[in-house]
Amino acid sequence: MFTLDPHTTTPVYEQLVECVLRDVSAGELAVGDRIPPVRALASELGLSAGTVAKAYREMETRGIIETRGRQGTFIAQGRDERNDAAARAVVDYLAVVADRLHYSPQECVALVERALDRRAQG
């Protein structure tokens, strides 16, 4: 279901969040789609349940997923479409700059700050 990169410096739980966001933006996951329970996904990916649970907590906090008790965990409606669009753009940016070009988190932030400074200057 999700592909993780063991060679990146991005923590595994963040990679899971990025995978879900990427799949939502690509239309592979839609609002209301059920995602696997924590233990099932952990087993499928060969991860600890704690790592997957951390990713799920992060996604729930951000409004990406919602847990409906015994019914399971589902892709949420999203609280703010503007925020969702920005999150997808960040995932796309990181896929290129961090993953493909191997920039560090600090370098990624510096690139964005420089671009914002140039934009502010006109």
Side-chain angles (χ1 to χ4, degrees):
M1 176 175 227
F2 303 117
T3 304
L4 304 175
D5 181 359
H7 305 292
T8 184
T9 57
T10 305
V12 173
Y13 83 93
E14 287 181 16
Q15 289 185 56
L16 281 173
V17 173
E18 291 172 7
C19 285
V20 170
L21 286 172
R22 194 173 302 122
D23 286 357
V24 168
S25 70
E28 294 176 30
L29 286 173
V31 171
D33 283 352
R34 186 171 187 211
I35 60 174
V38 168
R39 288 188 182 141
L41 186 58
S43 176
E44 180 180 323
L45 297 174
L47 301 172
S48 75
T51 298
V52 176
K54 184 174 183 177
Y56 276 36
R57 281 191 304 274
E58 174 70 19
M59 288 188 286
E60 198 155 23
T61 298
R62 292 172 53 185
I64 300 165
I65 62 171
E66 61 183 356
T67 302
R68 300 178 192 160
R70 293 181 183 260
Q71 293 177 359
T73 304
F74 299 84
I75 300 299
Q77 179 67 41
R79 290 184 231 164
D80 180 353
E81 290 200 23
R82 183 172 165 251
N83 189 43
D84 291 346
R88 287 190 298 273
V90 168
V91 167
D92 292 343
Y93 167 76
L94 291 174
V96 173
V97 178
D99 296 341
R100 285 190 223 141
L101 300 176
H102 306 290
Y103 277 72
S104 71
Q106 296 80 11
E107 291 170 318
C108 291
V109 170
L111 285 170
V112 171
E113 288 174 343
R114 282 194 300 272
L116 287 170
D117 287 344
R118 282 193 304 269
R119 183 181 176 106
Q121 294 171 2

